[in-house]
Amino acid sequence: MENLQKKAKELLSNKEVDLIIGYTSISEQETKPVFIKEADEASKLVFNAFCFNNLATYLTRKDVKAVKKIGIVAKGCDIRAIVNLIVENQIPREKVYILGMSCPGVKDPKNPSEINSKCRVCKVQNPHLADVIIGEKVAESNKMDQKVHHSDVEEFNKKTREEKWQFWTEQFSKCIRCYACRQACPMCYCNRCIVDLNTPQWIDTRSNPKGGLAWNLVRAYHLSGRCIDCGECERVCPVNIPLMLLNRTLQEEVQRSFDFEAGYDLEASAPLTVFEKDDQENFIR
Amino acid sequence: MADLFLTHDKAKELLKHIASQGIEVFGPVKKDGSHLIEKIKDQSEIDFSYFITANSIKEALFPRYEKILSYKISQEGIEVEDVSIDKSVVIFGGHPCDAASIPLMEKIFGWDYKDKFFLERREKAVILTLACEEADKDCFCTSLGYSPRGEIGSDILLERVSDQGWKLKLLSEKGKEFAKKYETYFQSTLEVDKKYPKLSDKDIPVQFDAKIVKSWIDTHFEDPLWEKIASNCWSCAACTYVCPTCHCFDITDDATMWSGMRTKNWDACTLPYFTLHASQHNPREQHFQRYRQRINHKYSIYVNLFNAISCTGCGRCSRACGAKVNILEAVKMIASAAGGK
């Protein structure tokens, strides 16, 4: 933590960055995003197993975009989002200074005594893209428990089509259309989301089963091959819709079809945004 | 009148019985790990073991969406069909901070235009409220003059006397009628456990002076503090949709060429396009301008109109916020900027 504060202070004092987005502590088991512009405020920064927020979502906010050089405290999973934002031309690499945190895993927001299941399969506990890496290197051995993280998808796939349909229509009928999922998501950055286009209104905005289904499926499709598995949408959903079950189902489809996972490689584009001659589907030829 | 008590088991039976009479019953339901106030479909969903429900009782009177009219277009012309509010509502399981929102909502929905949808439903509603037995750091009802055992807005207040049930306080004519109509579900005695009541006003300390907050807001529309207060706001509507007093809505049509239905849907000042003009100019382009509006409306604009603050201190917005924007913290920052407590 001292290293983080020291580095942040140095960056701000030397004017290497104009703003640092990081975490500050609310209580022993709670942190919140903090925006630091002055060097003497760097002491507010913390990093611990309760740093849930994916701060990359702020990189595309209007006022943040206007900042010349942005420092951001990021775990490996958050860096996957930053990589995607760079790949998708939303932020130039040189505009962001990544304070990459070595991260042995965060807690499960719904059950703080457990480690988050996404952290059990994390390949980037040691950040894969950063301007500085802070914290001790995490040993590679304590992970790769793919089964635990993906057991819900596997379990879900055993259901019949009708059962799946019933499950999701029930879940989506709970949706209150607050768009917390969209706003928390670093990959949901459209200047004007399709649900906000109202001349004509493409997507039903009502909080009823039809509208809830339309919205959540549209969002899931737009994220396929782009979702970086941070789980923020599910964490912030006020009515507890298991959105990551849906996102990971699509993620697995993309992996199976294109052998692709988003957010690791600055040179690789999302499969659904590019055309390759050896794509298995041939309808376009 | 003799004392009246209601046990949990009888309460479930009562709610089931009321629902069977064609009355809409809203009550606490446990779903996917959290408690919500919802229209009861199945008695087995009802669960009373919660501190506070994630949503407020407002859904019972001001639904997330509702049909306000339907129409058909033919060669003879346009035929419009109005909607009538014919069902009565029983709302069980909110807290005093929920019930206190009802008189506040009545003011806005009965102001210049009389919103029959809210007002008629309100007229027919019976509100049964549970006194609070627990509070967390986001609760601040006492700072706004309310109480965890408050009576405002309720027809019946249920005060827990044991793990098995509650003692009833009949607060209105409607409450008395209700108690009489369903008297077989109530009992005149119940063993009292001394550990109740667990919570009183002094357990939730007063944390700011709302008058000072208003005077600061009125003179500091443009102030860097707003940016600081809402720096981490990412502009979703979770806070407003769980809020018992947020009441904004949008009107949309669901239509085909020759017929359609017009609906009233929840909308929120915190959403980026809430104030987008047809010209594409947006007077509240930035996140903090939108959050300022939310606080301003509750703590100043509403006070100017109705001499009441449009916040009951329930803390739901703070709990629902994934970015951890906290209304109590925001209002305290304002109070301290104003030099008050």
Side-chain angles (χ1 to χ4, degrees), chain A residues 26 30-33 35 37 41 44 52-53 57-58 61-63 171 173-180 182-184 191-193 196 201 204-210 232 235-236 238-240, chain B residues 31-34 36 38 54 59 64-65 137 227-228 230-238 241-242 250 252 254 261 263 265-266 271-273 276 280 285-287 320-325 329:
Chain A
I26 306 177
E30 266 181 303
T31 67
K32 67 172 186 179
F35 288 69
K37 288 179 182 162
E41 289 191 326
K44 286 184 183 168
F52 302 132
N53 291 60
T57 193
Y58 293 114
R61 198 174 71 181
K62 218 169 194 146
D63 61 314
Q171 286 296 335
S173 69
K174 296 194 304 191
C175 177
I176 56 173
R177 310 302 293 275
C178 70
Y179 307 119
R182 177 185 76 185
Q183 300 307 105
N191 275 337
R192 196 150 178 186
C193 175
D196 288 328
Q201 186 77 52
D204 194 336
T205 57
R206 291 174 297 174
S207 168
N208 66 2
K210 191 176 147 208
E232 278 288 272
R235 179 182 70 85
V236 303
V239 291
N240 296 334
Chain B
K31 237 181 203 172
D32 301 322
S34 59
L36 299 168
E38 274 193 359
E59 281 196 65
R64 303 181 207 166
Y65 85 99
K137 62 177 172 43
E227 245 184 291
K228 217 172 158 189
S231 63
N232 40 339
C233 175
W234 55 42
S235 302
C236 72
Y241 290 177
V242 298
D250 181 29
T252 61
D254 184 30
M261 132 175 151
T263 57
N265 308 331
W266 283 358
L271 290 171
Y273 293 99
L276 184 69
Q280 298 303 301
E285 210 157 39
Q286 302 235 43
H287 61 289
C321 182
K324 310 274 176 61
V325 179
E329 197 188 312

Side-chain angles (χ1 to χ4, degrees), chain B residues 139-159:
Chain B
C139 289
F140 62 100
C141 62
T142 54
S143 299
L144 298 168
Y146 297 110
S147 156
R149 323 198 72 78
E151 299 174 358
I152 299 168
S154 300
D155 296 302
I156 299 178
L157 183 72
L158 294 100
E159 297 187 286

Side-chain angles (χ1 to χ4, degrees), chain A residues 164-224:
Chain A
K164 285 180 186 169
W165 179 248
Q166 197 197 343
F167 176 84
W168 285 120
T169 43
E170 268 172 32
Q171 286 296 335
F172 295 148
S173 69
K174 296 194 304 191
C175 177
I176 56 173
R177 310 302 293 275
C178 70
Y179 307 119
C181 48
R182 177 185 76 185
Q183 300 307 105
C185 176
M187 303 327 302
C188 271
Y189 54 70
C190 285
N191 275 337
R192 196 150 178 186
C193 175
I194 189 165
V195 80
D196 288 328
L197 293 172
N198 55 5
T199 50
Q201 186 77 52
W202 295 101
I203 310 290
D204 194 336
T205 57
R206 291 174 297 174
S207 168
N208 66 2
K210 191 176 147 208
L213 183 79
W215 159 245
N216 284 283
L217 289 187
V218 162
R219 184 168 174 274
Y221 271 114
H222 283 179
L223 284 174
S224 57

